[in-house]
Amino acid sequence: MKLLRYGPPRGERPGLVDRRGVIRDLSAHIRDVAPETVTPEVLARLAALDVDALPRVEGTPRLGVPVRGIGKFIAIGLNYADHAKEAHLPIPTEPALFTKAISCLSGPDDDVMLPKDSMKSDWEVELGVIIGRTARYVGADQALDHVAGYVVVNDVSERAFQLERGTQWDKGKGCDTFGPVGPWLVTADEVGDVQKLELFLDLNGRRMQTGNTLNMIFPVRDLIAYVSQFMTLYPGDLLITGTPPGVGLGRKPEPLFLKAGDVMHLGIEKLGEQRQRVVAWHHRGDEMSP
């Protein structure tokens, strides 16, 4: 299944995408796509529905974050050897672990807003994992049993905040709008082998990143097992798994960073695509919809 949430910020409704690409409303069956509805039991019940009998959603509504109420946004850095090399950092012997603020979450096609004083904002296409079953001290051989599905994520990063303002990467990772997720959550059974997925990201129509999850240093099963040794992962938690080479920081002969007016287009095989317009910082009020 492809599960999604559609509608205006803070007014999203649950839905799924049928085999013809039509959005169908799930409101009669679940209140929302949320931690309590990405468990194996609920996903099995949804998979048994007569999709053609579900109400069609007309038009092309805005898509929100595919899962409401994500509890933790955990990230892995430097998980592709070529990316570590372009960042001039050693290949890690253990996964590099950091967090992104929940408040950075945004829909897959929402604008990305540069933070105040941003000079080095950058892009990173990443495979995201939505947890569907509580994971605590799980082994790698059992780790994928704890996955509800997979999503496309753009791990937008302000490099000056990340690398030049002390030792904590989190400062450059959690700015408002720096976590576009979606367009939908694709359940694990539909994805199949998660270590054979192509990734790409274009900036203003020019290809910047090309990669394949086959080239991860630490595969998804190992990452889930590793993270679960340090914290409990609950249904609805989001784990992102690193980015392939081609980020702006690593461009030669000079780095290239985001500016207002840029457009990012990114996607992952089987998981869909995103498109974001970059805008200058402005006061957003309270309209964000994580």
Side-chain angles (χ1 to χ4, degrees):
M1 290 182 295
K2 295 182 176 70
L3 299 174
L4 54 78
R5 299 171 65 245
Y6 69 94
R10 298 193 180 277
E12 294 92 345
R13 297 167 63 91
L16 60 75
V17 181
D18 70 16
R19 61 185 179 277
R20 294 181 294 275
V22 175
I23 298 176
R24 302 279 183 161
D25 185 77
L26 281 173
S27 298
H29 300 276
I30 55 174
R31 293 181 60 183
D32 209 340
V33 182
E36 62 272 18
T37 55
V38 297
T39 61
E41 297 76 17
V42 177
L43 292 180
R45 176 165 62 83
L46 296 177
L49 294 174
D50 179 0
V51 174
D52 292 336
L54 297 172
R56 294 171 59 106
V57 176
E58 302 299 333
T60 55
R62 170 193 172 269
L63 299 182
V65 179
V67 179
R68 176 190 58 78
I70 289 172
K72 291 194 288 294
F73 193 166
I74 306 301
I76 304 297
L78 307 175
N79 198 29
Y80 291 75
D82 287 350
H83 174 54
K85 181 178 179 181
E86 72 176 354
H88 305 292
L89 294 169
I91 295 174
T93 56
E94 291 192 34
L97 181 63
F98 61 94
T99 65
K100 286 177 72 81
I102 295 298
S103 55
C104 83
L105 288 165
S106 60
D109 300 323
D110 292 346
D111 291 346
V112 164
M113 182 178 67
L114 299 174
K116 281 185 177 181
D117 303 319
S118 171
M119 297 296 291
K120 298 181 180 180
S121 289
D122 204 347
W123 55 86
E124 294 189 16
V125 58
E126 302 204 16
L127 170 73
V129 182
I130 298 291
I131 300 299
R133 179 181 288 145
T134 299
R136 182 183 299 115
Y137 294 106
V138 300
D141 58 337
Q142 301 172 327
L144 296 184
D145 296 338
H146 295 74
V147 174
Y150 301 96
V151 292
V152 182
V153 178
N154 190 353
D155 176 19
V156 187
S157 309
E158 215 303 330
R159 303 300 188 189
F161 297 178
Q162 176 189 357
L163 302 172
E164 301 170 19
R165 300 287 298 273
T167 60
Q168 301 303 313
W169 281 15
D170 301 26
K171 287 182 286 190
K173 295 286 189 171
C175 304
D176 290 350
T177 76
F178 271 26
V181 182
W184 37 70
L185 161 66
V186 185
T187 52
D189 61 305
E190 186 167 325
V191 173
D193 187 351
V194 72
Q195 300 302 156
K196 291 183 179 179
L197 301 178
E198 296 282 341
L199 307 86
F200 78 90
L201 184 144
D202 295 343
L203 178 66
N204 301 326
R206 180 183 174 192
R207 181 60 45 92
M208 294 292 167
Q209 289 186 276
T210 302
N212 192 298
T213 57
L214 179 66
N215 297 321
M216 287 182 178
I217 298 169
F218 305 102
V220 172
R221 64 179 183 273
D222 291 350
L223 294 177
I224 295 170
Y226 182 84
V227 174
S228 78
Q229 313 305 307
F230 302 100
M231 66 190 78
T232 300
L233 295 171
Y234 291 105
D237 285 350
L238 172 58
L239 170 67
I240 59 175
T241 57
T243 197
V247 300
L249 180 67
R251 301 296 296 181
K252 299 293 189 296
E254 296 292 334
L256 177 66
F257 298 114
L258 295 170
K259 63 184 185 305
D262 285 344
V263 174
M264 293 178 283
H265 174 212
L266 58 147
I268 301 178
E269 182 183 358
K270 299 184 181 180
L271 303 185
E273 300 182 4
Q274 304 180 351
R275 188 182 299 271
Q276 297 110 24
R277 181 173 60 102
V278 180
V279 299
W281 185 87
H282 61 277
H283 181 66
R284 291 174 55 86
D286 194 32
E287 76 274 23
M288 291 179 291
S289 179

